[in-house]
Amino acid sequence: MSAPLVLALETSCDETAAAVIEGVACLRGSAVTSQAAVHAVYGGVVPEVASRQHLTQIRGVVTEALSAAGVGLTQIEVFSATTGPGLASALLVGASAAKGLALALEKPFLALNHIEGHLLSPFIGAEDIPECVGLVVSGGHTLLIDVAGMGRYRLLGRTLDDAAGEAFDKVAKLLELGYPGGPRLEEEARSGHPARFDLPRSMKCSGDHDFSFSGLKTAVRYLLPKTQPGDRPDLCASFQEAVVDVLVHKAVRAAGLSGRRLIAVSGGVGLNLRLRERLVCAAAEDGLEVRFAAPAWCTDNAAMMAYVAAQRWKSGQSSGLEEDIFPTLGADLFKAI
Ligand code: KG4
Ligand code: ZN
């Protein structure tokens, strides 16, 4: 019997995406359209605009993913979609589309967790999930998760206020760098001096695995009027260093305390080169390895969701068509391990 073909849809925020996977290890096709340009006018994601965009883009990405995979809709054996966490009205579009397809084609449906997608994205292409500590650093979340294997996760810590990506976006907005802020701030930081401004490393030594980035953002806000336009690269570099410093320190510490030898980094902030460079160095000093999600799978995409779907289908799971969406991250994903 050949491995099943699974279609996954992702519409939790401002990317509309679809992907087809065969079995767990063979990603056959993936398509993503970003709405960043549409939301840039407003300086951030507007939920109603996002859901209306998903509605107009979803058919196109499904067609593109199927065609990249070289398969037709009737060959798909499982339909799946992200049902949370994310923007409620945006989640509804992908979930309804996947449920509609499952219903029409009389095939099973699988509800997917967006965080699990990010968490497992460094392992796309692998049959099994290794033991590791996952650092999920996206626009909406900053989490440290102890991973014992597929579906066996324990939440170690999370941000108590802004997510790391959110802090990048908010500081970039203060500095009028545009949206999305992360990549633009990193670009600006490239010519700056990271030790020029002494910015807070909130909760770095808090003794737990939690984070806080809103004080750092406020510190930049108060510092800004005292600087010159020419100081901007130094300000960006100093801000980036403060975020990276805390993320690196806490991820390495969490791996050490959990007895895991691997740190798996995912989410949009995982694209940040300074984070990559510093984490690899710090981990190596403690004999730890680091695996980053491939750049294409760092920001939102459906390939990571298809990978979760295939893994869950392999372990015998499916969902009912009455399954609701869940905008916030609950405790369901984290079972005692
Ligand atoms: O994973 P993602 O699509 O967000 C959520 O699912 O929430 O990642 C988007 C986030 C944004 O906050 C963006 O500014 C940030 O990732 N980001 C970066 C970089 N590229 C994207 N942050 C820092 N450095 C980057 N190079
Ligand atoms: Zn995401």
Side-chain angles (χ1 to χ4, degrees), residues 170-224:
K170 286 179 174 171
V171 167
K173 198 169 179 179
L174 280 176
L175 300 176
E176 296 174 351
L177 293 173
Y179 171 87
R184 297 188 189 193
L185 199 147
E186 179 179 16
E187 178 69 39
E188 189 80 14
R190 210 155 282 154
S191 56
H193 200 295
R196 164 88 189 277
F197 297 105
D198 185 21
L199 292 169
R201 268 75 170 153
S202 307
M203 296 187 74
K204 183 177 173 183
C205 300
S206 57
D208 55 22
H209 300 294
D210 290 331
F211 300 91
S212 165
F213 294 108
S214 77
L216 174 58
K217 170 198 67 193
T218 308
V220 174
R221 187 195 303 273
Y222 285 124
L223 186 61
L224 195 55

Side-chain angles (χ1 to χ4, degrees), residues 26-226:
C26 181
L27 180 69
R28 295 274 302 259
S30 167
V32 187
T33 60
S34 171
Q35 308 173 1
V38 180
H39 297 287
V41 182
Y42 307 100
V45 179
V46 181
E48 187 188 325
V49 173
S51 35
R52 294 172 76 157
Q53 284 287 315
H54 288 312
L55 210 49
T56 59
Q57 301 296 320
I58 194 88
R59 187 189 169 126
V61 292
V62 170
T63 307
E64 199 184 324
L66 288 170
S67 126
V71 298
L73 206 49
T74 54
Q75 288 169 267
I76 300 294
E77 280 170 52
V78 184
F79 291 92
S80 64
T82 305
T83 52
L87 302 170
S89 58
L91 289 165
L92 282 171
V93 179
S96 303
K99 285 183 180 192
L101 288 167
L103 189 63
L105 295 162
E106 297 181 4
K107 293 287 165 63
F109 168 71
L110 251 173
L112 308 171
N113 188 305
H114 184 75
I115 295 306
E116 189 174 24
H118 279 301
L119 179 66
L120 303 189
S121 62
F123 307 113
I124 291 176
E127 275 292 335
D128 299 306
I129 307 299
E131 289 182 4
C132 61
V133 159
L135 172 67
V136 180
V137 268
S138 69
H141 300 271
T142 300
L143 305 165
L144 274 169
I145 301 167
D146 186 21
V147 177
M150 178 61 206
R152 297 172 61 212
Y153 318 126
R154 184 166 56 100
L155 182 63
L156 297 173
R158 61 196 302 175
T159 180
L160 303 181
D161 41 57
D162 292 350
E166 190 179 356
F168 267 94
D169 292 335
K170 286 179 174 171
V171 167
K173 198 169 179 179
L174 280 176
L175 300 176
E176 296 174 351
L177 293 173
Y179 171 87
R184 297 188 189 193
L185 199 147
E186 179 179 16
E187 178 69 39
E188 189 80 14
R190 210 155 282 154
S191 56
H193 200 295
R196 164 88 189 277
F197 297 105
D198 185 21
L199 292 169
R201 268 75 170 153
S202 307
M203 296 187 74
K204 183 177 173 183
C205 300
S206 57
D208 55 22
H209 300 294
D210 290 331
F211 300 91
S212 165
F213 294 108
S214 77
L216 174 58
K217 170 198 67 193
T218 308
V220 174
R221 187 195 303 273
Y222 285 124
L223 186 61
L224 195 55
K226 299 173 195 152

Side-chain angles (χ1 to χ4, degrees), residues 274-332:
R274 185 71 179 153
L275 173 64
R276 288 185 172 232
E277 174 184 291
R278 289 224 20 223
L279 188 55
V280 168
C281 279
E285 279 175 22
D286 284 15
L288 305 171
E289 273 181 56
V290 188
R291 176 98 61 98
F292 294 94
W297 313 137
C298 278
T299 48
D300 287 350
N301 64 87
M304 66 185 190
M305 303 316 302
Y307 184 59
V308 170
Q311 289 283 5
R312 291 213 164 257
W313 182 249
K314 187 173 104 173
S315 59
Q317 296 180 34
S318 65
S319 317
L321 286 179
E322 66 287 353
E323 189 101 14
D324 199 1
I325 51 139
F326 54 100
T328 54
L329 177 64
D332 298 10

